[in-house]
Amino acid sequence: MAEKNQETSTDKAATIGMVQTPQTKQKLSVGLVISLVLGSALISIFYATSTYKTQTEHVVELADGRSKQFEVVFTELKQARFRAMGIGADTLLRSRVTIDPFIKRDRAALAAQIDPFFAFLKEKHGVNQLNFWIPPATMFYRAGAPELGQFDGSKFRASVVAANARQERIMAVETGQGGVIGIRSIVPVIWDDKFYGLVEFVSDFSLPLNGASVESRFQWAASITKERFAQVERARNEKEDAEKGEDIYINYSDPATRDIIKAIDFDPRSKDYKIVDNNGQKIFVKAFPIYNFVGQPTITIAMVDDLTDQFNAAFKSAVIKGGILFLLLAAALVAAYSKLDDLRTGMLGSIGAERRALKDRLARGDAAIEKLKDLETLKRRYFSNLMAAINSPLLAVSGQISGIKHALEAGSASNKGDIDNRVDFSIQEIDSLRHLVADYEQIELFRQTLVRAEAKPLSVPAVLEDVLKSLDLSRRLPNLQVNIDVPDDMPSTYGDSRLLAGAISRLITHTTHASGSGLLNISLRSNGEDSLILNFSGSAYAGSLAPTAALLDEARQFMAELSTGFISDGKREKLIGIILAKAVIEHFGGTLEAGSADAPGFLVRFPTAA
């Protein structure tokens, strides 16, 4: 009996042990499954967050690229308006019949001549105002507004005061009385070498802004500084005006943009963009300044775009991708939990590697897209510059030929001098255009290494002497004083005398585009080793076109123009000659450098002949 009881106890203990072991394993399995699910959820959340961040950053980068496109297109359209209004003013001033009433200060006769012309310009070409000013800044007559009397505008029209004082043309964006922002072409009225005042063409500032808006899909808002707001005596409009720092926004592309600008907070003077939350909206805003004729930033343009839909799409995509990853990852980990160690190491490592590879490919793709966009912008801008440079003399020649036609129809013998002048002017413009195209062709030949000029020993002083004789600076530029310090016993160098003469001529004639007066020093010396140094310096090179490192590099010329507008005076075609001169000098082993800011000019180094 005792033995039987002992066996029964043993069997019971074994049974209990057999039952308890599976229960313990089951508890461990449930805990492991929960851990795997939570781990999958955590990884999916991190992945979804990373995906959302990457996609939204890409959306913002594309928006920033479009903002740069807005600035480029706006600048091109603004410059086009300057050129068009300048041509219109020059054409108007060619007619003595049209301008004679202003010279005689006859308002009634001027109105009869100008009002029909202005009505045509306003309807066909978007010219808002056509004004006549007499010194120092008195409005003599505004076309289409005979009821407007004469008044003094010197308090709010600094450009008119400056143009009258200097008796020279000024192309500028300026805010007039009441806060009207206009693109203004101010041209002096000079007849028989006597100055009579100014004629001003004013174009709507919103025209280039709307054109840039269409190209870039940005809305815009325009501001003026508080100081300028007070000067032009604009009344405050609490419904329309939005004060941001030292700027007050007064004009908008549409009412929705006005409401956004008034609601959000940003710095108009910052060079960086900002993403602002506005009642559930994701607003991209970035501003850039507009400089007045003396280089002061009195206007800012805020570019505005609502990125809410793109952000929502990125969020939806990230959630879907994160959810799919969670389901796949959780199912795979739970199904293979018995091999958790091997499987977890392999899978997590593979996912990390794939994510890094994917992110790297996306980054490389984005960088490649940005480079292509920059290249396209560069090509487009240089092609635009070339077309503008070619179009200008063609317009001038067309106008002169039209004038010849009218003079021939008149049939008067007194018109012969006028016809001769027009023919000479047309020939001069065509010759200038031929030289410009030839310079472009030469630069392209040097780029493609197609130049086959024979390098022969030559004398730099002899080439320089021939250049100075052909330029005849004493007669062409009587206000330019030339000092020459060129010894005769200089070593020879290698090169093509014709190409080298053209390069030196372009370096000298650059002074005519910089100032046309002042002091020009030309010196040649040997460094005692293996090179000759030809130096061009003096006050004639000072000014807005003073030689710089950027001037000698075609790509940097373009970037400098974008950032500072350093060739906004319409002479960009003249700079092509400098690039060609540099290509010629370097082709024969020399170098071309710009002088320092304290001593502007050019420095040419030629290798001496062995």
Side-chain angles (χ1 to χ4, degrees):
M1 187 68 178
E3 184 178 352
K4 184 176 180 180
N5 290 340
Q6 185 178 0
E7 290 176 358
T8 301
S9 300
T10 302
D11 294 340
K12 187 181 290 186
T15 302
I16 292 172
M18 291 175 63
V19 172
Q20 288 177 345
T21 299
Q23 288 179 348
T24 303
K25 183 176 181 180
Q26 184 178 4
K27 290 180 181 179
L28 291 175
S29 298
V30 171
L32 179 60
V33 169
I34 293 174
S35 298
L36 291 175
V37 172
L38 292 177
S40 300
L42 186 62
I43 293 172
S44 300
I45 291 172
F46 284 147
Y47 175 74
T49 302
S50 176
T51 301
Y52 177 75
K53 183 175 182 296
T54 300
Q55 291 182 354
T56 53
E57 286 178 349
H58 183 58
V59 168
V60 173
E61 288 173 358
L62 291 178
D64 190 38
R66 289 191 291 114
S67 72
K68 297 175 183 177
Q69 182 188 21
F70 184 103
E71 292 187 49
V72 171
V73 174
F74 167 78
T75 302
E76 291 178 350
L77 294 177
K78 181 187 70 174
Q79 294 300 115
R81 297 299 295 185
F82 280 148
R83 289 192 295 271
M85 293 192 299
I87 292 172
D90 290 338
T91 303
L92 178 66
L93 296 178
R94 294 290 296 177
S95 171
R96 180 61 187 255
V97 174
T98 305
I99 209 65
D100 192 64
F102 176 63
I103 294 175
K104 295 178 178 178
R105 300 296 192 257
D106 187 343
R107 280 171 52 89
L110 183 62
Q113 290 290 336
I114 292 299
D115 285 359
F117 177 63
F118 169 71
F120 173 81
L121 290 180
K122 185 174 183 179
E123 178 183 358
K124 298 295 184 180
H125 301 288
V127 175
N128 285 358
Q129 294 179 15
L130 178 54
N131 302 319
F132 289 83
W133 298 87
I134 58 178
T138 300
M139 170 71 75
F140 177 75
Y141 184 70
R142 173 171 291 172
E147 73 283 358
L148 185 64
Q150 299 184 38
F151 62 90
D152 182 15
S154 58
K155 181 178 179 181
F156 50 88
R157 292 301 310 280
S159 62
V160 173
V161 176
N164 269 314
R166 303 173 188 171
Q167 298 183 13
E168 64 182 18
R169 68 177 58 205
I170 291 178
M171 306 290 178
V173 175
E174 189 176 54
T175 308
Q177 189 176 25
V180 177
I181 303 175
I183 301 175
R184 304 176 186 273
S185 175
I186 306 170
V187 179
V189 178
I190 298 175
W191 198 272
D192 293 333
D193 296 329
K194 185 176 180 181
F195 175 74
Y196 291 95
L198 305 170
V199 60
E200 178 189 36
F201 282 63
V202 183
S203 180
D204 192 346
F205 186 61
S206 64
L207 291 177
L209 289 173
N210 290 335
S213 177
V214 171
E215 289 289 330
S216 63
R217 304 190 306 280
F218 266 100
Q219 302 303 318
W220 56 266
S223 76
I224 59 177
T225 62
K226 291 181 179 178
E227 179 184 5
R228 191 64 180 154
F229 196 97
Q231 289 175 347
V232 299
E233 301 174 348
R234 175 184 167 88
R236 287 301 297 265
N237 185 340
E238 297 299 330
K239 181 179 178 181
E240 296 290 331
D241 299 345
E243 184 174 331
K244 304 295 177 183
E246 293 300 314
D247 298 277
I248 301 177
Y249 283 88
I250 57 175
N251 293 330
Y252 310 89
S253 57
D254 55 74
T257 303
R258 175 200 62 200
D259 296 338
I260 289 174
I261 290 293
K262 290 175 70 68
I264 65 177
D265 182 32
F266 68 100
D267 181 11
R269 299 295 167 170
S270 174
K271 296 181 179 179
D272 298 323
Y273 62 78
K274 187 176 183 180
I275 304 297
V276 185
D277 288 314
N278 180 42
N279 296 326
Q281 294 177 302
K282 294 290 186 181
I283 303 298
F284 177 100
V285 59
K286 185 178 181 181
F288 65 93
I290 303 296
Y291 296 89
N292 63 11
F293 74 101
V294 293
Q296 295 298 321
T298 58
I299 298 171
T300 64
I301 304 300
M303 299 168 287
V304 180
D305 195 12
D306 185 358
L307 303 181
T308 306
D309 291 340
Q310 293 94 316
F311 272 67
N312 289 341
F315 179 79
K316 182 178 180 181
S317 175
V319 170
I320 293 174
K321 291 179 180 179
I324 294 174
L325 178 62
F326 168 75
L327 294 176
L328 294 176
L329 189 59
L333 290 176
V334 171
Y337 80 94
S338 60
K339 299 179 180 180
L340 181 61
D341 292 337
D342 296 336
L343 185 62
R344 180 174 58 187
T345 301
M347 181 172 288
L348 293 181
S350 175
I351 292 175
E354 286 297 322
R355 285 179 58 195
R356 289 192 296 272
L358 177 61
K359 189 172 183 179
D360 183 62
R361 286 195 296 270
L362 286 174
R364 289 198 299 268
D366 292 343
I369 291 173
E370 289 301 319
K371 289 181 179 179
L372 288 175
K373 287 166 57 181
D374 290 342
L375 178 61
E376 185 63 27
T377 301
L378 183 67
K379 289 167 59 181
R380 174 182 176 184
R381 188 59 180 269
Y382 269 114
F383 182 77
S384 174
N385 287 347
L386 175 59
M387 293 301 102
I390 292 176
N391 189 47
S392 178
L394 288 179
L395 285 174
V397 171
S398 175
Q400 294 300 316
I401 293 176
S402 177
I404 293 173
K405 178 182 177 182
H406 292 310
L408 290 173
E409 290 175 353
S412 174
S414 62
N415 290 337
K416 183 179 184 305
D418 181 52
I419 294 174
D420 290 341
N421 290 336
R422 291 179 181 273
V423 170
D424 291 340
F425 175 84
S426 300
I427 293 173
Q428 180 182 354
E429 287 295 294
I430 292 173
D431 192 58
S432 175
L433 178 59
R434 180 178 61 80
H435 283 297
L436 173 62
V437 174
D439 285 351
Y440 268 99
E441 291 176 346
Q442 282 282 17
I443 290 175
E444 198 58 33
L445 289 175
F446 277 102
R447 284 201 190 103
Q448 300 177 23
T449 65
L450 298 177
V451 176
R452 295 292 184 265
E454 183 178 0
K456 298 180 180 179
L458 56 83
S459 170
V460 175
V463 174
L464 182 59
E465 182 179 1
D466 292 339
V467 169
L468 292 174
K469 286 181 180 179
S470 65
L471 291 178
D472 196 8
L473 297 176
S474 61
R475 289 203 301 171
R476 292 186 179 181
L477 300 172
N479 296 323
L480 181 67
Q481 179 182 345
V482 182
N483 296 329
I484 302 174
D485 181 14
V486 179
D488 294 328
D489 54 342
M490 287 285 102
S492 299
T493 187
Y494 286 107
D496 183 291
S497 59
R498 180 183 58 84
L499 291 176
L500 188 57
I504 293 176
S505 176
R506 291 179 177 90
L507 299 182
I508 294 176
T509 55
H510 186 73
T511 60
T512 64
H513 310 313
S515 64
S517 61
L519 185 64
L520 171 60
N521 299 318
I522 304 175
S523 65
L524 179 67
R525 68 182 188 275
S526 173
N527 67 352
E529 298 176 354
D530 57 355
S531 64
L532 297 173
I533 301 175
L534 181 59
N535 188 21
F536 301 91
S537 63
S539 59
Y541 286 102
S544 61
L545 289 180
T548 62
L551 180 70
L552 301 180
D553 183 271
E554 190 173 9
R556 291 177 66 186
Q557 277 189 19
F558 168 69
M559 296 307 296
E561 181 181 7
L562 279 183
S563 61
T564 66
F566 84 112
I567 44 180
S568 59
D569 56 2
K571 296 175 180 174
R572 61 173 58 85
E573 65 269 30
K574 308 301 182 185
L575 305 182
I576 296 301
I578 299 300
I579 298 300
L580 179 57
K582 182 171 182 289
V584 170
I585 293 169
E586 292 179 347
H587 182 74
F588 296 110
T591 61
L592 175 61
E593 303 170 6
S596 64
D598 297 332
F602 294 106
L603 193 68
V604 187
R605 299 179 188 274
F606 298 101
T608 57

